[in-house]
Amino acid sequence: MAQRFDNVKLEKGMYHEAGRSFSQVLEGLDPSEQYRGTVLEGLDAYQRQLKRFDIRVKGAGSDLVDKFFSTAQSAVLFPEYIARAVKVGMEEANILPDITATETLIHGMDYRSITSVPQEEEKKLKQVDEGAAIPETTVRTRDSLVKLHKRGRMLVASYEAIRFQKLDLFSVTLRQIGAQIGRMHLEDAIGVVLDGDGNDNPAQVSQVETAGVLTYKDLLAFWAQFEPYQLNTLLVGTDTLPLLLAIRQMQDAGAGLDFHGTGRLVTPMGAKVLRTAAMPKGKLIGLDKNYALEMVKAGDVMVEYDKIIDRQLERAAITTISGYAKIFEDASRVLSV
């Protein structure tokens, strides 16, 4: 039976429930649906708990870190505050949604993705005569498990060092930790595109006509290789971006106006250009983001809640576990400059 938010008993065990996050456990005890049409509509169960204990985490009037530890129950909310601030940092300037087709959440460490590798004849949509067999597309599980990587940062600080810090300022540090974890995830994704996911499926690599020079003709040839997929996303590094922008067709009035006015880059093929320092030198990755990569996550951001609730922050780990699998191998390719 649902409880009012100010009657929910908070305890460490709420972080222990298998298959459910702390926020999901809270929502189960205090569903947001029962607050429709009230002043609390729009707040989730965790935000209602912050309101219950009058903890303000944002703005000039934000409270001190010490406010979380005013009672034993409010201290239970602190690890979730850390996890949420880290996730905000992970989502800032995050380009992973622009290169992954789907996201799979698993509750374990073993996962096999599926694949379909049609031959040329199978790609054709042939007419089926009456009574004739319908052409088949074979979908099978991968031979190898998806490799999951644990990525994270260690929060090294004593409770005494941060207790009188404003939560708004402390959130900046946590967002920076999240941004660093996000960059690690991007490096993992790029590694899978380049080298494969352990199923003997590295990206096919094309060479430009003249080493060190990128031309419009090279891009056209690269674009043509994607049939039946679409080259709708390009990943470039800081060394290859100037080569791309130097192409004459990229310097027409429309492209220049859009770039100077908004900072958005477009190629003559209409692909979205994403710049990242995680790209190896001398390479561009082209992909059809709708079919190329699957992101596999084993849970959400994890925080060592026991240490944090007990004010033992000297070395508290903030981690995530994730990996990537290729869905359709031909939906991602590499152009070497």
Side-chain angles (χ1 to χ4, degrees):
M1 182 177 177
Q3 308 178 49
R4 275 189 51 84
F5 73 98
D6 49 359
N7 292 325
V8 175
K9 183 179 180 182
L10 303 175
E11 54 188 6
K12 286 184 182 180
M14 298 171 74
Y15 288 96
H16 278 293
E17 291 205 21
R20 292 207 298 171
S21 67
F22 178 79
S23 288
Q24 289 171 331
V25 173
L26 268 183
E27 281 290 342
L29 295 172
D30 181 39
S32 294
E33 290 79 3
Q34 63 185 346
Y35 296 95
R36 288 178 181 171
T38 72
V39 294
L40 297 177
E41 184 177 10
L43 300 180
D44 64 21
Y46 178 75
Q47 292 168 328
R48 288 191 292 274
Q49 291 303 311
L50 293 179
K51 185 174 181 63
R52 169 187 177 183
F53 293 100
D54 192 29
I55 300 174
R56 289 162 292 181
V57 298
K58 296 180 182 179
S62 63
D63 288 309
L64 303 178
V65 170
D66 200 45
K67 186 68 173 289
F68 271 104
F69 297 93
S70 57
T71 71
Q73 287 202 73
S74 61
V76 177
L77 299 172
F78 194 51
E80 178 65 13
Y81 153 75
I82 291 177
R84 290 191 175 207
V86 169
K87 280 189 282 188
V88 170
M90 291 175 63
E91 292 165 0
E92 289 176 349
N94 180 24
I95 65 173
L96 282 171
D98 293 312
I99 66 173
T100 50
T102 185
E103 183 179 298
T104 301
L105 180 64
I106 63 173
H107 303 293
M109 294 298 292
D110 294 336
Y111 177 76
R112 291 183 191 273
S113 187
I114 60 173
T115 186
S116 174
V117 187
Q119 302 301 316
E120 284 302 318
E121 286 298 311
E122 295 175 324
K123 295 178 183 178
K124 299 176 182 177
L125 297 178
K126 297 181 179 179
Q127 177 178 330
V128 179
D129 296 327
E130 185 176 350
I134 298 176
E136 299 177 346
T137 295
T138 302
V139 178
R140 59 180 176 79
T141 56
R142 291 287 192 183
D143 295 329
S144 299
L145 295 172
V146 174
K147 294 180 181 178
L148 300 181
H149 303 280
K150 188 173 185 177
R151 302 298 192 196
R153 307 291 294 182
M154 192 70 71
L155 179 61
V156 182
S158 66
Y159 171 66
E160 288 72 19
I162 65 171
R163 61 179 298 188
F164 296 121
Q165 295 298 320
K166 288 277 190 176
L167 287 168
D168 200 38
L169 176 60
F170 189 47
S171 295
V172 175
T173 301
L174 297 174
R175 292 202 306 270
Q176 176 62 17
I177 291 175
Q180 292 169 341
I181 295 174
R183 284 193 290 271
M184 295 177 191
H185 286 320
L186 181 58
E187 290 175 3
D188 289 340
I190 290 174
V192 167
V193 172
L194 294 174
D195 304 321
D197 58 12
N199 288 281
D200 193 27
N201 55 357
Q204 296 187 41
V205 180
S206 302
Q207 301 287 337
V208 296
E209 282 192 354
T210 304
V213 178
L214 181 62
T215 67
Y216 186 61
K217 183 179 178 182
D218 293 324
L219 281 179
L220 283 177
F222 189 54
W223 169 80
Q225 294 171 6
F226 275 80
E227 179 67 25
Y229 302 103
Q230 299 292 322
L231 173 57
N232 51 37
T233 307
L234 271 174
L235 283 174
V236 300
T238 53
D239 64 319
T240 53
L241 180 60
L243 299 178
L244 182 64
L245 293 177
I247 297 175
R248 179 174 56 82
Q249 286 80 1
M250 287 290 295
Q251 299 175 14
D252 64 66
L257 182 62
D258 193 51
F259 175 57
H260 291 300
T262 67
R264 292 193 301 267
L265 298 174
V266 293
T267 70
M269 297 85 190
K272 186 174 184 178
V273 178
L274 303 171
R275 184 187 66 170
T276 171
M279 279 292 297
K281 291 185 177 181
K283 296 186 184 299
L284 293 86
I285 288 179
L287 47 85
D288 187 334
K289 63 94 56 184
N290 299 310
Y291 298 99
L293 278 179
E294 174 190 17
M295 183 179 186
V296 182
K297 296 170 61 176
D300 214 330
V301 176
M302 290 167 280
V303 179
E304 287 189 302
Y305 50 85
D306 278 321
K307 284 186 175 182
I308 290 173
I309 293 172
D310 294 336
R311 310 186 194 191
Q312 299 171 1
L313 300 182
E314 283 78 6
R315 295 187 66 83
I318 302 169
T319 59
T320 62
I321 299 176
S322 65
Y324 298 87
K326 284 191 172 182
I327 305 175
F328 293 97
E329 297 174 17
D330 292 340
S332 59
R333 295 172 179 268
V334 174
L335 180 61
S336 183
V337 181

